[in-house]
Amino acid sequence: LPGTVWIASDIHLGPDVPATARAFHRFLQQACVQADALLLCGDIFDAWIGDDFAGKDAPQWLRESLAALRDVSARIPLWLGRGNRDFLLGETLARQVGARLLPDSVVIETAAGRVLLSHGDEYCTQDRAYQRFRRLVRRRSVQRLFLSLSLSMRRRIADFARRRSMAGNQYKPAAIMDVEPVAVARAFERSGVCLMVHGHTHRPAVHTLEISGRECRRIVLPDWEFDGASPRRGGWVVLDAQGARLKWAEALSGPSARS
Ligand code: LP5
Ligand code: MN
């Protein structure tokens, strides 16, 4: 991927986050002008219940976001990765917005060097309950069964899973919800890269670490939240000939509706 690459994740678009959607759409417009490619690596949607959700009866908020994504792909290459909440994103949706799907984890060649990109949940290996859930819902038979249900039934199951997840997360120790250092080190070693970018943990940071004598960096993308209580947050990673850096999206929020 030549030129300037922008990467974001964990926007969690859904019916109840209009301010987040607005900030994200502004970000997309900016990407068209300032970036040469845009990569969204997972949890773009708060829950994806199948590509037919974007069919002719799609809700208004979704139509708007799909149109905004199409505007991007009309101008620069757009890549979509799957997260733990939208792992059901498929080729149909990608085609519909003019994007291509990213594999779960992938090494990309950029002006800032080779970069290992993923959603990040695969490194949360201490979270046994989550890894069990992940294995279950990634089985083709389970997905086929789920997709055979009506949209309203799928919506109910997804809402249930989201509620269960949020309730459970309140009691999980912070260390369990973060990546496991051993899993990260293994990924650096296997891929041979010095830079990794992922989201999922909602703990934006630039970590420096040493892997077998090499200095490596792990950049964690922030999640996006412009609707709930402040502080608003959101941001993305820029990769270009100057290197890699994290950018904050406060500037995209516009005048506050609250104050
Ligand atoms: O997402 P977040 O930040 O809240 O927490 C994640 C982990 N949780 C999840 C669950 C998702 O949020 C729910 C996504 C819904 C997708 C729609 C389709 C649903 C069915 C599809 C069947 C093919 O990913 C959480 C981690 C946390 O990140 C930090 O890493 O801890 O993990 C859990 O909460 C694990 C729980 O044990 C999972 C509980 C869900 C149980 C629901 C059962 C219903 C599934 C039906 C399957 C047929
Ligand atoms: Mn996630």
Side-chain angles (χ1 to χ4, degrees), residues 234-247:
W236 67 98
V237 161
V238 176
L239 303 173
D240 60 19
Q242 271 91 62
R245 61 209 171 272
L246 196 50
K247 289 260 209 179

Side-chain angles (χ1 to χ4, degrees), residues 10-13 16-26 224-228 233:
D10 299 279
I11 303 101
H12 304 140
L13 295 173
D16 308 318
V17 290
T20 303
R22 270 197 306 280
F24 179 59
H25 295 167
R26 245 170 262 151
W224 290 58
E225 167 65 276
F226 287 76
D227 290 272
R233 54 181 193 278

